[in-house]
Amino acid sequence: MTTSESTGSAKPAPKDPWDLPDVSSLVVGVLGGTGDQGRGLARRLAEAGQKVIIGSRAADRARTAAEELGNGVEGADNAECARRSDVVIVAVPWDGHAATLEAVREELSGKLVVDCVNPLGFDKKGAYALKPEEGSAAEQAAALLPDSRVTAAFHHLSAVLLLDPDIEKIETDVLVLGEVRADCELVQALASRIPGMRGVFGGRLRNAHQVESLVANLISVNRRYKAHAGVRLTDI
Amino acid sequence: MTTSESTGSAKPAPKDPWDLPDVSSLVVGVLGGTGDQGRGLARRLAEAGQKVIIGSRAADRARTAAEELGNGVEGADNAECARRSDVVIVAVPWDGHAATLEAVREELSGKLVVDCVNPLGFDKKGAYALKPEEGSAAEQAAALLPDSRVTAAFHHLSAVLLLDPDIEKIETDVLVLGEVRADCELVQALASRIPGMRGVFGGRLRNAHQVESLVANLISVNRRYKAHAGVRLTDI
């Protein structure tokens, strides 16, 4: 009995990074759920069996969009969407990001927030990265929502593919960033419910800026190759 | 005879983005060619049939490394490496980047320069992006080398995989950034010579920062998944 396993002093075996929690009972809210990205995500998550509530400033707009999506999707104003959800995806345009989060700060208290906003500027040369004062959209969310658990994910998905009814699988990885492993794993599990997608841990929030702004490069790729490019990581 | 093809006024068909030039006769220099990344790239390009010269501040160090690599690789000091090459890959550490380029500015005049430097900082929480004053390492190179044709590529390759003699194919995409399409296509063609790799256009130099600093995220991925992660783009 001299092996390290028997002494009690050995390190525990590392946790399998692909062993993710069951998230099927969580309610997912989508702020900005009437935009293309928000509706696309809501649609795919609802099709995968998740209970989804889309939020908008105007509850009736959200309800109309929800009816079109079907699969049990509900619509509500942003505050109700946040209050009734366990996980809240933030899919608003960058220029409404801070104001939207400040308006529902109370309702997001204690919630798992998933920021998927890409701060970009556009000119005649195409798209380029904007650098938020806080470092990234996700870090801005973390600064504005000190009582929430903030992560970042779903940056590189094409709204066109998400909304195309003829596409059953979206072969791509979803990089999930955050400070707390258990929170990231919930979001990874959520992403992995959508056929073709894998939720992959992608680092801490301080490394969110480059993930958010890589969308500017994907826009260049799409233009050159007439595609809807996504990202897969190799060797994992 | 009323179709647009026959009128002579129609736009030319868009160029196939996968139709890349023949680069087999170009001499490739690697500044910082004695480091892991530089030796790895030199090795793979030479194995693919490219004439490669690795450069170092000390010519004898470069010659020793070149002999170990075989496949006709030569070693020289940085100035001779730059002078004798058509395409010059810059694979030096970030903290020697500006000084190395300034020292060989004359020799790099007119050359196609490929910057593959990732400006990163490290602390006990891991790696994080450094933001060069010029925006990125590639933009610093462009500012320091006004008479060269500066591109950026080869950021996400694992030196471990590049140097592993048991690995024949490296399944990954190489994002190539630059301002001039013909220059990017030469670099894309060069990357595509290495088995498993595709050279893909990834945008203008102003969008290089996020490509360079994505390596911080890949380091987090590698740690979590015990891997040597690379990037593939989907749908192209």
Side-chain angles (χ1 to χ4, degrees):
Chain A
M1 295 290 277
T2 57
T3 65
S4 62
E5 284 83 357
S6 63
T7 63
S9 64
K11 274 191 187 175
K15 188 173 178 301
D16 178 355
W18 297 110
D19 182 14
L20 299 173
D22 178 4
V23 292
S24 57
S25 65
L26 299 181
V27 178
V28 177
V30 184
L31 300 181
T34 57
D36 285 346
Q37 194 75 13
R39 282 187 304 126
L41 274 171
R43 173 172 181 273
R44 295 287 168 176
L45 289 167
E47 279 183 359
Q50 210 72 34
K51 172 69 193 176
V52 177
I53 303 171
I54 62 178
S56 176
R57 271 177 300 183
D60 56 342
R61 280 236 317 271
R63 282 190 205 104
T64 304
E67 270 172 40
E68 284 171 17
L69 289 170
N71 277 307
V73 177
E74 289 183 60
D77 64 34
N78 281 334
E80 185 187 333
C81 168
R83 193 164 42 237
R84 289 180 53 199
S85 301
D86 303 301
V87 181
V88 181
I89 296 172
V90 182
V92 298
W94 165 241
D95 64 8
H97 186 255
T100 302
L101 295 180
E102 278 167 348
V104 290
R105 185 195 311 231
E106 291 280 316
E107 291 83 357
L108 289 174
S109 176
K111 308 282 181 166
L112 179 52
V113 172
V114 189
D115 203 293
C116 68
V117 174
N118 306 304
L120 295 182
F122 293 88
D123 61 19
K124 60 185 178 180
K125 289 185 170 182
Y128 57 94
L130 298 176
K131 178 89 169 182
E133 201 185 322
E134 298 83 355
S136 59
E139 288 163 289
Q140 183 183 81
L144 293 172
L145 305 172
D147 299 325
S148 303
R149 297 139 59 203
V150 175
T151 63
F154 299 117
H155 303 90
H156 304 146
L157 304 179
S158 155
V160 173
L161 298 186
L162 289 172
L163 287 169
D164 187 335
D166 293 333
I167 291 178
E168 289 181 13
K169 283 178 83 168
I170 301 180
E171 298 285 351
T172 192
D173 287 343
V174 172
L175 284 171
V176 180
L177 293 89
E179 302 303 306
V180 177
R181 179 160 178 164
D183 292 340
C184 290
E185 288 179 341
L186 286 171
V187 182
Q188 290 170 247
L190 200 61
S192 299
R193 295 203 73 193
I194 300 176
M197 289 191 198
R198 292 192 302 186
V200 175
F201 175 67
R204 294 177 180 272
L205 291 187
R206 68 177 180 175
N207 284 316
H209 172 61
Q210 56 264 31
V211 173
E212 295 171 357
S213 50
L214 194 69
V215 174
N217 304 83
L218 295 180
I219 289 170
S220 295
V221 170
N222 289 345
R223 192 169 169 189
R224 174 67 54 93
Y225 297 90
K226 314 291 179 214
H228 302 289
V231 174
R232 268 276 188 231
L233 297 187
T234 55
D235 199 44
I236 64 166
Chain B
M1 294 289 280
T2 57
T3 64
S4 61
E5 283 84 353
S6 64
T7 62
S9 64
K11 275 191 187 177
K15 190 174 177 298
D16 178 354
W18 299 109
D19 181 15
L20 299 174
D22 178 4
V23 292
S24 58
S25 65
L26 299 181
V27 178
V28 177
V30 185
L31 301 181
T34 58
D36 285 346
Q37 194 74 14
R39 281 187 305 125
L41 273 171
R43 176 172 179 273
R44 295 287 168 176
L45 289 167
E47 279 183 358
Q50 210 73 34
K51 173 68 192 175
V52 177
I53 303 171
I54 62 178
S56 174
R57 270 177 300 183
D60 56 342
R61 280 233 318 272
R63 283 192 204 103
T64 304
E67 271 173 40
E68 286 171 17
L69 289 170
N71 277 309
V73 177
E74 289 183 61
D77 63 33
N78 282 334
E80 186 187 332
C81 167
R83 194 166 39 236
R84 289 181 54 201
S85 302
D86 304 301
V87 181
V88 182
I89 297 173
V90 182
V92 298
W94 164 241
D95 63 7
H97 186 255
T100 301
L101 295 181
E102 277 167 349
V104 291
R105 184 195 312 229
E106 291 281 316
E107 290 83 357
L108 290 174
S109 176
K111 309 281 181 168
L112 179 53
V113 172
V114 189
D115 203 294
C116 68
V117 173
N118 306 303
L120 296 180
F122 294 88
D123 61 20
K124 60 185 179 182
K125 291 185 170 180
Y128 57 94
L130 299 176
K131 178 91 171 182
E133 201 187 321
E134 297 83 355
S136 60
E139 286 162 290
Q140 183 182 81
L144 293 172
L145 305 171
D147 298 325
S148 303
R149 297 137 61 201
V150 175
T151 62
F154 299 118
H155 304 91
H156 304 146
L157 303 179
S158 156
V160 173
L161 298 186
L162 289 172
L163 287 168
D164 186 335
D166 293 334
I167 291 177
E168 288 180 14
K169 281 178 83 169
I170 300 179
E171 297 285 350
T172 192
D173 287 344
V174 172
L175 285 171
V176 179
L177 293 90
E179 301 303 306
V180 177
R181 181 162 178 164
D183 292 340
C184 290
E185 288 179 340
L186 284 172
V187 182
Q188 290 169 247
L190 201 61
S192 299
R193 294 203 73 191
I194 300 176
M197 289 192 197
R198 289 193 305 186
V200 175
F201 175 66
R204 291 176 180 272
L205 291 187
R206 67 177 181 176
N207 285 316
H209 172 63
Q210 55 265 31
V211 173
E212 295 172 357
S213 51
L214 194 70
V215 174
N217 304 84
L218 295 180
I219 290 171
S220 295
V221 170
N222 289 344
R223 195 172 166 185
R224 173 69 52 94
Y225 297 90
K226 313 290 180 215
H228 301 290
V231 173
R232 267 277 187 231
L233 297 187
T234 55
D235 199 44
I236 64 165

